[in-house]
Amino acid sequence: MGGAALQSAGYLPNFGASEQTTGESYASESALQDLDGEVAALREQFAALPATPAGDGADTQALTGRVDALEQAAAAPADDSAAQAAEAARTAAEGATQTATAAQQTAEQAGQTASAAQEAANAAQSSADAAAKAASDAQAAAASAQEGIAAINETISGFDSRIATVEARNLQASKAFAAANLKAAIDAGGPFMQQLENYAQIAGGEGATEELRALAADGVPTERELATRWPEVEDRIASQLTPVAPDAPVGDQLLSGLRSLVQVRPVEPSASAEPGEGGPNESLARLDAAIGAGDLSAWTAEWQTLPDAAKAASQDFADQVEARQTADRVIADALASATAPAQPAAQDNQG
């Protein structure tokens, strides 16, 4: 047992076993306990030995030194193991501290990430609220716009008739202006072809414009011009109403000539007399009164009752009176049409 301890301490070689070279090794706790037991046993054996001669003291001291060395050798591995264990514990503690620090940092980072996530969630909620409000506002705006569109459509629906009325009024105004220009040209007594064509273009062929085309180149006489020419025409009519027979005495023929120079007629015709009644003087009086009053229709009616000879003698004047009457009638119709209430043109049904 003592040899085993010496072999373990390195003082004796290990016989019968092949030496193996290993790296640095340490004794286990059970091995250390066994070594302590063997050392204690050796001490007991030394204590039980009888005293030896003085010559053997050196051997005993040597043996004692070797035993002390063996104890130190046994204690050394234990000390190294303790130091190594302490170092391992310190290293483990440092590793644990580093791990705890890393865990703390990870936890802090996780907290920061969670805070960022919460902020992002809050921002997303705010964006969602803003989007919801914007959608609500947009819906309200759309509803308001729809109401506005409906109002606009209702307003537009009446535009066609209003525009047609305005156009009709404009056409009436244009016709009235053209008719007024035509009347002014006719009343002037000169040609009025240009004014007639302008009116016909605007009126679209309305009215008896064709009746005036034959008169437009030369114009029609004014009422004043007719009144100026009437005395000469009246004398011609009178000479035909009281003719002198060709075989009448010279005195009668001379008297008839004198009567043609001085006509004696009633100043005022009979109001109750009809055209052609009352004899030649009455007829002449009514013709004269009609010309003086500008009543060309009454003049024509009386002229129609004259004998053919009297008509033939005054046919050119009667044609001028008729032309004046035609112009007056057409102009009156044109002005009446132009000043009548405007009627808008019929509109197609737009659905």
Side-chain angles (χ1 to χ4, degrees), residues 240-320:
Q240 295 299 324
L241 290 177
T242 57
V244 178
D247 55 352
V250 176
D252 292 341
Q253 293 182 9
L254 179 61
L255 183 61
S256 177
L258 292 174
R259 282 199 300 267
S260 66
L261 296 176
V262 181
Q263 298 288 345
V264 180
R265 307 185 187 94
V267 178
E268 292 292 337
S270 174
S272 61
E274 294 294 332
E277 293 182 354
N281 289 336
E282 283 285 334
S283 293
L284 288 173
R286 285 190 289 268
L287 289 173
D288 185 69
I291 288 294
D295 189 356
L296 301 184
S297 297
W299 187 92
T300 301
E302 187 67 36
W303 183 82
Q304 295 290 344
T305 66
L306 295 178
D308 291 340
K311 287 181 180 181
S314 58
Q315 185 65 53
D316 57 342
F317 186 84
D319 291 340
Q320 291 180 342

Side-chain angles (χ1 to χ4, degrees), residues 175-248:
K175 287 170 60 177
F177 184 75
N181 285 340
L182 178 60
K183 183 178 186 305
I186 292 174
D187 289 344
F192 53 88
M193 182 64 75
Q194 181 178 356
Q195 291 80 0
L196 177 62
E197 293 299 333
N198 289 340
Y199 174 78
Q201 182 178 5
I202 294 173
E206 294 182 0
T209 54
E210 293 299 327
E211 296 182 61
L212 296 179
R213 292 189 187 278
L215 306 174
D218 297 328
V220 294
T222 64
E223 291 181 1
R224 180 181 296 275
E225 290 174 346
L226 292 175
T228 300
R229 290 187 57 191
W230 167 243
E232 185 269 330
V233 175
E234 183 181 20
D235 288 341
R236 283 187 282 160
I237 294 174
S239 64
Q240 295 299 324
L241 290 177
T242 57
V244 178
D247 55 352

